[in-house]
Amino acid sequence: MNLARLKGPGVFAAVAVLALVVAPLLLEPFRLGLLAKYLCFAIVALGIGLAWGQGGMLALGQGVFFGLGGYAMAMHLKLVDAQGDLPDFMVWSGVEQLPALWKPFANPVFALAMVVIGPMLIATVLGLLVFRQRVRGAYFAILTQALAAAFVILLVGQQGLTGGTNGLTNFFDLFGQDLAADSTQRGLYFAVAIATGLLYLGARQLVNSRFGRLLVAVRDGEDRVRFLGYDPARVKTVTFAISAGMAGLAGALFVPVVGIISPALLGVVPSLELVVAVAVGGRFALAGAILGAVVMGYAKTSFSEQFADGWLYLQGALFILVMTLAPKGILGLAASARDALARRRTARSGDPEPPPADAPGRRVMEEVA
Amino acid sequence: MSAMIEVRGLSVVFDGFRAIDGIDLTVEQGELRFLIGPNGAGKTTLIDVITGLTRPTTGEVVFDGRSLVGLREHQIVRLGVGRTFQTSVVFEELTVLENLDLAASFRQPLWSLARRRRGVSDAVAGALEITELGPLADRPAGVLSHGQRQWLEIGMLLTQGPKLLLLDEPVAGMSKDERERTGELMTSVARDHTVIVIEHDMEFLRRYASQVTVLHEGRVLIEGSVDQIRDDPRVQEVYLGRKPSDAVGKQS
Ligand SMILES: Nc1ncnc2c1ncn2[C@@H]1O[C@H](COP(=O)(O)OP(=O)(O)OP(=O)(O)O)[C@@H](O)[C@H]1O
Ligand SMILES: [Mg+2]
């Protein structure tokens, strides 16, 4: 079926045109900025889709890696803005000398490398410690969540080093460009959109490779995989590290797009929100993760404008609904609807029935329980 | 002949319960050995110890001149010991071909797996042929029948080129036809592998076994040919005083 094979690339191309041509033409700068923000979240979501949807690792603390990437970028921007002096917030907190931790971040290459390497390194160490001990399922989820909570406490406590609760903000210059200029923000939007597309293609390649098959095998039968001669701990660690690297990169893009990184953006709740978004979009497909992040990001903005508190409950309710009734999320529902339509059409024309879309996995419920 | 696997003075204690109570067992290279015994005799536990799933309380397991005790499961597989499980486990979301391919790729470095599979390797093609699963190669393994799953598992083992295969009740729950197919498959596998098979079914035993070890309450009761085993009064007693040909035939 050549047509079927063209469908995936066709959809991808259509979305690319939408994102790179239509959206920049139609959306005013403020709305385009919002979309850029959602796409940053979509990159984190992509990593969650990989770790959770494909690998079965319910990572509830991706905010940590998002934060590591974000702070690395923000530290660099602050140092550039300070032009050799102390960053503004340090002066206000009474810090007199640039902390040693900050110094290397003046170098753009180091800062950009740390955006990805830092999160991947920490995820690797954590993964080796945790997956070797066969910590998994809910225990892994709780552990990552605790990590997010601890990270926030650490950030808030180190006022002079991290800007505390306020985080790092007030950036003016991005690699020689005026950050406030519409053209810079537009360029940033394109950078984020292209990064999202490339990362999606890369993740897809991985999922379709033997490694991807192995990852699914680890998700569905970790113990069995051992008896095929693989070490599941390594497979999981590599995947977790990749998802952490994505979150780090997303954080680094987020900083110039939104203009701030702070503990409130990367704690337990924001981390959870992204997992919910992935579930809503459809966690078993990478596209579902991206879709979920954009839809939920948009919904959050629209809703919070009217009633901020309601959003939290609505989100929780949505999560429960999706996990119980539509474990494959929006994408799963769309596929079922399409199949139902196709069946009705063939029933009318008298053709044999096409095979139905596979039923939502029973495993889903067990995993959550 | 030299010993493929040697178990010495093995015991396994679970919370004070002796599941294995001093077993010595030697299986020679190229041998097809049957392991029988009533429920709870410790057969599966013995295989669990050999494959690293369970740590022995005391004793030694030597495979091909190397001690296995303390190695992790995947390391033991890499030395050349493959096993199947009493309830077969295949990866249901992967196709039959992908299941086999995954098994066959286990010696490749992890990073090289990031490439997409192209074509079918000789090992995989061979396994598809010997298990006769070729026509189902592109179906998800979840649609296979119970018998086909066991064959797929054996096929997965074969792609890995193991020196020793441990099969835990491969014909349990199979129809008569499936048993026959499995028996043939096993016989052909045993031609160039060392195989240990756990099996209850006496009919199956009579047709395919030569050397049999009987376990009972964690010990080796007797070792010998099928006829010797069948005529041994201790074996008859273990199987509740009934003739083993009746009792052993009953499935757990
Ligand atoms: N992990 C465990 N913890 C506690 N007891 C166990 C454990 N594994 C096995 N046992 C016990 O050890 C004994 C031997 O079990 P094993 O599974 O080896 O028997 P078996 O010979 O394979 O029996 P079957 O024919 O039913 O498969 C049984 O009494 C079983 O309940
Ligand atoms: Mg058993």
Side-chain angles (χ1 to χ4, degrees), chain B residues 10 12 20 44-56 61:
Chain B
L10 191 74
V12 175
I20 291 189
T44 299
T45 307
L46 177 59
I47 286 195
D48 287 348
V49 171
I50 294 174
T51 55
L53 188 59
T54 301
R55 287 276 167 104
V61 179

Side-chain angles (χ1 to χ4, degrees), chain A:
Chain A
M1 286 257 110
N2 273 336
L3 219 64
R5 199 176 284 170
L6 282 178
K7 216 186 75 193
V11 172
F12 182 81
V15 173
V17 168
L18 218 60
L20 295 179
V21 180
V22 179
L25 279 177
L26 291 186
L27 296 181
E28 54 189 293
F30 172 69
R31 294 280 158 198
L32 200 64
L34 282 180
L35 187 53
K37 181 168 106 171
Y38 306 151
L39 287 179
C40 290
F41 292 141
I43 294 175
V44 188
L46 193 60
I48 295 174
L50 205 58
W52 182 34
Q54 303 293 315
M57 293 168 271
L58 182 47
L60 293 185
Q62 292 303 87
V64 172
F65 305 120
F66 182 81
L68 286 170
Y71 273 91
M73 185 68 168
M75 283 158 80
H76 175 66
L77 295 184
K78 287 270 28 132
L79 287 174
V80 170
D81 284 341
Q83 294 176 340
D85 286 339
L86 278 183
D88 49 12
F89 77 94
M90 284 189 189
V91 179
W92 304 330
S93 329
V95 176
E96 279 163 11
Q97 213 191 352
L98 191 66
L101 180 67
W102 274 69
K103 282 186 182 138
F105 285 91
N107 182 331
V109 177
F110 177 85
L112 286 181
M114 280 314 284
V115 157
V116 179
I117 294 174
M120 289 187 88
L121 212 63
I122 287 181
T124 303
V125 171
L126 188 75
L128 286 179
L129 287 175
V130 160
F131 297 133
R132 261 251 166 134
Q133 298 304 316
R134 307 193 180 174
V135 173
R136 54 185 155 187
Y139 298 100
F140 175 75
I142 291 166
L143 194 98
T144 51
Q145 189 168 60
L147 195 69
F151 188 52
V152 167
I153 292 170
L154 186 78
L155 287 173
V156 171
Q158 301 291 319
Q159 172 83 28
L161 202 59
T162 63
T165 322
N166 299 330
L168 302 178
T169 185
N170 295 330
F171 312 111
F172 301 102
D173 177 288
L174 177 71
F175 304 120
Q177 306 292 315
D178 175 13
L179 250 179
D182 275 355
S183 63
T184 309
Q185 285 299 324
R186 233 177 141 69
L188 272 171
Y189 167 79
F190 279 107
V192 174
I194 290 169
T196 310
L198 290 180
L199 287 171
Y200 168 76
L201 290 178
R204 220 183 103 84
Q205 171 71 24
L206 195 67
V207 165
N208 287 331
S209 72
R210 277 190 176 130
F211 185 89
R213 308 288 82 196
L214 180 57
L215 188 58
V216 168
V218 168
R219 178 191 75 193
D220 293 350
E222 180 169 340
D223 294 321
R224 184 69 184 81
V225 167
R226 283 182 228 288
F227 291 100
L228 289 184
Y230 294 100
D231 183 1
R234 281 184 64 199
V235 179
K236 290 168 91 169
T237 301
V238 168
T239 309
F240 187 46
I242 292 173
S243 80
M246 287 186 176
L249 187 65
L253 291 168
F254 181 89
V255 164
V257 166
V258 180
I260 184 171
I261 186 81
S262 75
L265 292 166
L266 47 86
V268 171
V269 173
S271 301
L272 265 177
E273 279 183 333
L274 281 172
V275 172
V276 173
V278 171
V280 169
R283 68 193 160 108
F284 294 111
L286 295 173
I290 293 181
L291 180 71
V294 174
V295 167
M296 292 299 273
Y298 181 76
K300 183 180 178 176
T301 308
S302 325
F303 254 85
S304 315
E305 277 166 11
Q306 277 117 18
F307 22 80
D309 287 346
W311 171 244
L312 207 60
Y313 295 106
L314 187 71
Q315 200 173 212
L318 202 57
F319 183 61
I320 292 169
L321 270 176
V322 165
M323 292 307 278
T324 51
L325 297 180
K328 289 187 170 179
I330 298 175
L331 280 192
L333 288 178
S336 313
R338 199 180 52 222
D339 285 343
L341 264 177
R343 237 182 329 232
R344 191 183 298 171
R345 211 172 301 144
T346 47
R348 213 178 292 147
S349 63
D351 283 349
E353 264 194 29
D358 38 358
R362 176 177 39 83
R363 194 187 48 253
V364 172
M365 295 304 300
E366 289 163 5
E367 202 176 291
V368 174

Side-chain angles (χ1 to χ4, degrees), chain B residues 38-45 86 168-169 198 200 252:
Chain B
N39 293 138
K43 306 177 297 289
T44 299
T45 307
Q86 209 162 333
D168 197 348
E169 304 201 18
I198 296 180
H200 281 284
S252 53

